[in-house]
Amino acid sequence: MAIQVPKGTKDILPSEIYKWQYVEKIINDVCRTYNFKQIRTPVFEYTELFQRGVGDSTDIVQKEMYTFNDKGGRSITLRPEGTAGVVRSFIENGMSSLPMPVKLFYFITCYRYEKAQKGRYREHNQFGIELFGASGYTADMEAISLAVEIFYRLGILDKLKLNINSIGCPKCRPAFMIKFKEYMESKKDDLCETCIERLENNPLRILDCKSPVCNILTKGAPVMIDFLCEECDSHFEGLKSLFKDNGIDFAIDTGIVRGQDYYTRAVYEFVFDEWQTQNTVCGGGRYDGLVELCGGSPTPATGFGMGIERLILCMEDCNVLFPPASSVDVYIVNESKECESEIVKTIFALRKAGKIAEYDLVERNSKNQMRYANKIGARFTTVINKDELDKGICSLKDMNSGEVKEIKISEIAKYC
Ligand code: ATP
Ligand code: MG
């Protein structure tokens, strides 16, 4: 039996790659105007980075990481997300001595051992940004407005809901945690097993539980935004008023905590409501403590991750028209072996001129070459034989209209 692709992974085939290239092009364009610079970090890191960075009691670290010992006996993990690796690189490469803010973006493949289903894979791709060295709400606005601009250009902004929350800071969160824990203790008997454990090690994670029962149980619980200290409150208020002044629609969702432990203050999700589950296309927030936690000097930061598979699925469900993949501009039919070398020269010249040019590589006769040109949707075709080469003239056929034009072989690029 032929070997199959591992569960939860999939091939991105040539027949759909144009969608990815389109999305990546728009994202690159937007990042350029926002002056974010691309960073590429390794696919694997030492396991400890994620344990410390993402948080030991998160689902990601507890259940989802692909961790193994390499041949040197070191514990290695395939990255489950982008932020921890970028923070490590920021510290390791002394980026904190650069003029602030440092604005970075990345395209990464992530690995999570999850229950494979629509919109949830074991290998998925993310676009993400991280903005270091700015603590004010304008930096959060910078990140969120960049996502908004991407969604706008991709034609799905009005189909997505932006939900925001503030989860406070180490100063104001403890008071909330006491009240929240007290409340959840009273619901203990009905919580799922994992949440009973969470109640002890990391109660906030209960808000991130995917079980509908636990979800309902959190509904009457105290909410963090009622406990914000003055700084957190004015940060949140400032962000909301910038949204209002700039026509960014949002709703408050006091249940958002996000799946990583490192978040502080503003957190948010862009959600495609038409889906019941796996409906978060983009999620992020501020993580002012993470750089220090990973061994750097205290540096405020904010960022998000956007799932490209979910983004494309959402665009498909919204019937967004992707610009079609470019097809072959011109196919040159070779009528005889002796023309081969001249045809190759002509093909190379056409390609240098930016045309998508093709000719026979599998020794079809000229009739079958023509059929093949038709099949691959070549826009123009021309048949070249010895006679034509001697005169330097060929007949270029427009495959849409059927019109034929006599032109110089050296000028094919001008006409196709
Ligand atoms: P979810 O709540 O759906 O599990 P998450 O909180 O784990 O998401 P993040 O870690 O914030 O997600 O990742 C950022 C984005 O990456 C998500 O909003 C989503 O679009 C995408 N994403 C996360 N996990 C997967 C996955 N297993 N398969 C496909 N896309 C994913
Ligand atoms: Mg998850």
Side-chain angles (χ1 to χ4, degrees):
M1 211 177 73
I3 296 169
Q4 295 183 330
V5 77
K7 193 171 170 184
T9 70
K10 59 191 174 59
D11 302 311
I12 302 160
L13 298 172
S15 56
E16 54 180 350
I17 198 73
Y18 69 98
K19 296 179 183 174
W20 287 72
Q21 288 170 341
Y22 173 60
V23 163
E24 285 163 9
K25 157 120 193 20
I26 299 279
I27 292 177
N28 270 298
D29 286 351
V30 175
C31 284
R32 193 182 65 79
T33 61
Y34 270 75
N35 199 28
F36 278 71
K37 301 282 192 275
Q38 192 173 15
I39 182 165
R40 298 184 190 188
T41 62
V43 169
F44 59 85
E45 300 272 359
Y46 292 130
T47 303
E48 193 197 341
L49 176 70
F50 301 113
Q51 287 169 334
R52 221 200 293 177
V54 177
D56 242 339
S57 56
T58 59
D59 276 2
I60 294 183
V61 172
Q62 291 272 311
K63 306 184 203 161
E64 298 174 358
M65 297 207 302
Y66 279 88
T67 299
F68 57 94
N69 284 338
D70 69 7
K71 291 191 171 31
R74 294 195 175 95
S75 182
I76 295 289
T77 294
L78 303 184
R79 72 174 154 221
E81 58 101 65
T83 304
V86 172
V87 166
R88 182 214 30 82
S89 176
F90 176 87
I91 299 167
E92 192 168 350
N93 293 290
M95 284 189 238
S96 57
S97 60
L98 295 173
M100 293 293 145
V102 172
K103 297 159 72 172
L104 306 173
F105 78 95
Y106 49 82
F107 288 101
I108 55 168
T109 306
C110 300
Y111 299 86
R112 297 185 189 182
Y113 194 78
E114 302 214 64
K115 193 164 160 243
Q117 50 200 296
K118 187 187 170 193
R120 192 178 297 291
Y121 314 102
R122 290 182 175 177
E123 180 186 77
H124 77 273
N125 291 277
Q126 280 187 21
F127 156 66
I129 66 163
E130 313 297 345
L131 193 158
F132 294 96
S135 59
Y137 56 82
T138 49
D140 303 65
M141 177 65 171
E142 183 89 336
I144 294 168
S145 61
L146 184 145
V148 165
E149 181 62 19
I150 289 168
F151 295 138
Y152 171 73
R153 292 203 201 176
L154 293 177
I156 52 168
L157 181 60
D158 55 351
K159 305 286 171 48
L160 297 176
K161 258 183 77 183
L162 168 60
N163 295 325
I164 63 167
N165 189 22
S166 177
I167 53 171
C169 69
K171 210 168 102 187
C172 52
R173 201 181 298 158
F176 161 72
M177 288 310 304
I178 292 170
K179 295 282 176 209
F180 180 74
K181 196 174 167 193
E182 240 170 57
Y183 182 89
M184 293 316 300
E185 291 274 5
S186 71
K187 309 280 174 192
K188 195 169 174 177
D189 295 346
D190 299 318
L191 287 172
C192 75
E193 258 173 55
T194 324
C195 280
I196 293 175
E197 273 171 41
R198 285 172 174 144
L199 204 49
E200 287 317 310
N201 345 326
N202 196 345
L204 211 55
R205 294 257 70 83
I206 298 174
L207 288 168
D208 204 36
C209 182
K210 301 271 188 294
S211 142
V213 179
C214 298
N215 220 281
I216 291 168
L217 292 174
T218 61
K219 289 300 174 216
V223 294
M224 183 64 225
I225 50 173
D226 291 339
F227 290 76
L228 297 179
C229 60
E230 207 183 313
E231 288 95 326
C232 286
D233 188 55
S234 74
H235 184 274
F236 200 45
E237 289 305 316
L239 183 60
K240 287 189 289 184
S241 81
L242 262 191
F243 285 159
K244 284 179 192 145
D245 293 346
N246 288 281
I248 296 181
D249 292 329
F250 67 93
I252 307 284
D253 179 346
T254 54
I256 300 179
V257 285
R258 313 283 316 121
Q260 291 89 336
D261 268 351
Y262 47 62
Y263 287 111
T264 50
R265 297 199 168 159
V267 286
Y268 49 88
E269 294 180 345
F270 287 87
V271 174
F272 183 51
D273 262 348
E274 278 176 34
W275 297 332
Q276 300 301 312
T277 53
Q278 289 84 254
N279 54 5
T280 308
V281 176
C282 173
R286 179 163 282 284
Y287 52 92
D288 289 342
L290 184 59
V291 177
E292 195 178 3
L293 186 71
C294 290
S297 47
T299 310
T302 179
F304 65 69
M306 191 183 286
I308 313 255
E309 284 83 358
R310 288 190 199 174
L311 180 64
I312 291 176
L313 277 172
C314 170
M315 290 169 71
E316 287 169 347
D317 278 12
C318 296
N319 296 315
V320 169
L321 288 178
F322 292 85
S326 14
S327 60
V328 171
D329 292 313
V330 58
Y331 186 96
I332 300 183
V333 175
N334 181 2
E335 275 214 314
S336 68
K337 189 81 186 155
E338 57 182 334
C339 302
E340 191 173 77
S341 167
E342 282 305 311
I343 286 179
V344 169
K345 265 188 210 145
T346 309
I347 288 281
F348 286 176
L350 282 163
R351 288 173 180 167
K352 274 204 204 311
K355 301 296 172 186
I356 306 179
E358 283 265 35
Y359 72 110
D360 180 55
L361 301 179
V362 293
E363 288 165 30
R364 291 187 172 97
N365 63 31
S366 49
K367 198 171 135 202
N368 285 337
Q369 286 181 47
M370 195 50 112
R371 267 196 201 138
Y372 174 73
N374 220 333
K375 226 182 238 172
I376 61 171
R379 183 72 179 82
F380 291 90
T381 57
T382 183
V383 181
I384 291 188
N385 58 31
K386 184 81 178 57
D387 222 32
E388 266 125 2
L389 280 180
D390 289 344
K391 291 191 212 133
I393 300 283
C394 70
S395 308
L396 189 71
K397 184 174 178 187
D398 181 328
M399 299 295 279
N400 288 349
S401 64
E403 189 194 336
V404 177
K405 239 191 214 137
E406 291 263 295
I407 60 165
K408 285 188 186 160
I409 292 177
S410 57
E411 292 189 345
I412 298 176
K414 259 198 212 166
Y415 294 90
C416 64

